[in-house]
Amino acid sequence: MRSAAATVTRVAQRVVAPSAPTPRGELPLSWLDRYPTQRALIESLHVFKGRAGDAGDAAETPAVAIERALATALVSYYPIAGRLAVSEEGELVVDCTGEGVWFVEATASCTLEEVDYLEYPLMVPKDELLPHPNYPASDPLPEDSLILLVQVTQFACGGFVVGFRFSHAVADGPGAAQFMTAVGDIARGHAAPLVTPAWGRDAIPSPPGAAVGPLPVPTELRLQYLAMDISTDYIEHFKARFLEQSGQRCSAFEVLIAKAWQSRTRAARFAPGSPVHVCFAMNARPVLRRALPDGFYGNCYYIMRVSAPAEAVADASVYDVVRLIREGKKRLPGEFARWSAGEAAAGGADPYRITSDYRTLLVSDWSRLGFAEVDYGWGCPVHVVPLTNLDYIATCILVRPSAHKPGARLITQCVAADAVDAFHRDMMRLD
């Protein structure tokens, strides 16, 4: 630990099973669920301030409330209580064993204020707040099959942090937020989730002959973490100027991603003529709305790739870069339809490939997934911290800022150390 004032102690660990009997057997996963990079456990920290006077005096602590609600939610979301397995046909499936999810209860000796509500740089190492159980010796590779792990850490002020590790093979961002919301519904007194979950993986296309690109190759380059709070005035400035120039409205996402792509391209000094790319995941639920059942929580997204010569991004006005982003977003229905029909396979392109190519920026938008609205009975989180573990893949994550700050927050790990200052300076410019 960095400070004696920030000691975290894990006081209990156990497997939380569904509170009632659930169906058994194997459930198929979709082509996208089975994509090789989905086997990762997505990690995040959710910081809750708690209520005044709750420092140990509440009738039900956050850990007790969340554990109770988890057990009930897993009755409806019973696949999450199972394990990933390989079927007789060699396909990744969910084996609905009803075993449950790992749950860790912990305490911190400090207040959240003393560790700045886990603003960056983290004053508590992330692995102290994420669930890392001591697995039985009889299970040599337990995390290969786990779907969800949860840790609730109670701080001395009554606030708490929920650390999640969630298998991307079973849920994407909106799906994971849907499950967390269901746990919150039950923790606040509802008998069951307000949204009934549906499996429905057969609604996701399985393109004939779809190309699957290689996994990202680690490189020697170490990209630097930089978090930036962006004011509402900054965003509205660019949106107003874009409206003046084009007669059209643009979103905060389009402004911020255009600025990040341009500022990064300039700071990295890519050679003229060198192709640069920005890739961002788009929710494909609207495209499949007629096929998807209500309550679907599996993977349903498409990675849109926008490419241009380096000088077309670095030397253009930011409003021209916004146009590139907007044009890319408009391609979703057509590109997704062609990919679904197997037409994209002819060119050998894999839209879902994650690459460590430094010229490619991978963007995620966490601001509208639903994590910021989850309420276990102590109000919504003041801060959601997505965690990245691969510092050789250029990433930019858009999240909501802390509850008391308007605007947006960009969490970036996209430039080498010698380019961080230039990247930050360019991001702050209003031209």
Side-chain angles (χ1 to χ4, degrees):
M1 302 295 297
R2 297 185 186 182
S3 168
T7 301
V8 173
T9 304
R10 292 186 174 98
V11 297
Q13 67 168 43
R14 49 196 166 269
V15 175
V16 177
S19 61
T22 56
R24 296 292 190 266
E26 292 183 352
L27 284 175
L29 290 166
S30 72
W31 183 96
L32 184 52
D33 293 333
R34 300 193 306 268
Y35 193 82
T37 54
Q38 310 289 42
R39 290 299 295 267
L41 289 167
I42 304 302
E43 299 177 342
S44 58
L45 301 174
H46 305 250
V47 183
F48 294 83
K49 199 169 186 178
R51 294 185 293 253
D54 264 5
D57 299 327
E60 189 175 50
T61 66
V64 170
I66 292 171
E67 182 181 3
R68 170 183 56 79
L70 263 175
T72 302
L74 287 172
V75 177
S76 300
Y77 285 86
Y78 65 89
I80 294 174
R83 298 291 182 264
L84 294 174
V86 177
S87 69
E88 292 182 358
E89 293 76 26
E91 298 281 12
L92 187 68
V93 297
V94 170
D95 186 6
C96 298
T97 62
E99 291 175 70
V101 303
W102 275 100
F103 183 85
V104 179
E105 186 177 350
T107 60
S109 60
C110 59
T111 66
L112 282 169
E113 185 176 12
E114 288 171 333
V115 291
D116 197 22
Y117 291 91
L118 298 183
E119 296 283 1
Y120 189 83
L122 293 178
M123 297 173 69
V124 181
K126 66 178 184 179
D127 284 330
E128 295 290 328
L129 299 169
L130 288 170
H132 292 284
N134 295 316
Y135 301 108
S138 59
D139 198 348
L141 294 172
E143 292 192 357
D144 277 5
S145 63
L146 294 179
I147 294 172
L148 175 64
L149 304 92
V150 182
Q151 176 169 318
V152 179
T153 304
Q154 178 94 39
F155 281 71
C157 56
F160 60 99
V161 173
V162 183
F164 281 101
R165 302 175 70 210
F166 211 130
S167 173
H168 211 325
V170 173
D172 61 5
Q178 178 181 310
F179 174 74
M180 295 177 195
T181 299
V183 176
D185 293 341
I186 295 165
R188 296 195 317 276
H190 294 280
L194 298 182
V195 175
T196 302
W199 191 249
R201 305 303 161 111
D202 55 348
I204 302 298
S206 181
V212 177
L215 293 172
V217 178
T219 69
E220 297 299 319
L221 191 62
R222 291 295 169 260
L223 305 177
Q224 303 300 302
Y225 185 105
L226 177 65
M228 292 171 279
D229 283 332
I230 309 296
S231 70
T232 301
D233 289 344
Y234 175 104
I235 296 168
E236 292 303 321
H237 166 81
F238 286 108
K239 290 172 68 174
R241 290 287 300 277
F242 184 81
L243 179 62
E244 289 173 8
Q245 292 194 12
S246 67
Q248 298 177 323
R249 299 186 182 277
C250 65
S251 68
F253 172 84
E254 291 159 355
V255 164
L256 294 173
I257 298 316
K259 277 291 288 185
W261 189 26
Q262 182 179 70
S263 298
R264 175 181 189 269
T265 302
R266 290 171 173 173
R269 298 181 179 179
F270 294 116
S274 174
V276 293
H277 319 278
V278 61
C279 299
F280 46 92
M282 295 188 69
N283 188 350
R285 285 165 174 79
V287 181
L288 293 174
R289 61 183 178 273
R290 294 181 180 177
L292 284 180
D294 293 340
F296 177 84
Y297 60 98
N299 286 286
C300 187
Y301 65 91
Y302 186 80
I303 296 183
M304 185 57 64
R305 181 185 183 94
V306 178
S307 302
E311 68 275 14
V313 177
D315 299 340
S317 76
V318 70
Y319 308 106
D320 289 333
V321 183
V322 169
R323 290 187 186 93
L324 289 175
I325 301 294
R326 286 168 59 83
E327 289 165 4
K329 291 173 67 176
K330 290 177 183 177
R331 299 200 312 264
L332 173 65
E335 281 200 16
F336 188 78
R338 288 191 294 274
W339 172 80
S340 301
E343 295 176 16
D350 172 14
Y352 293 97
R353 182 189 175 196
I354 305 298
T355 178
S356 55
D357 181 352
Y358 188 43
R359 296 170 300 175
T360 300
L361 176 64
L362 181 64
V363 174
S364 297
D365 183 1
W366 281 49
S367 66
R368 294 181 296 174
L369 295 179
F371 296 123
E373 290 77 36
V374 174
D375 180 1
Y376 301 108
W378 284 262
C380 297
V382 295
H383 189 27
V384 176
V385 188
L387 299 169
T388 57
N389 295 317
L390 302 178
D391 59 3
Y392 53 85
I393 295 176
T395 57
C396 175
I397 305 175
L398 175 63
V399 300
R400 293 190 185 181
S402 294
H404 63 284
K405 296 179 181 178
R409 170 170 294 173
L410 279 181
I411 298 175
T412 66
Q413 194 165 273
C414 66
V415 292
D418 60 358
V420 170
D421 289 344
F423 172 62
H424 185 252
R425 282 196 306 271
D426 206 273
M427 278 295 304
M428 294 300 104
R429 289 171 53 179
L430 289 173
D431 56 3

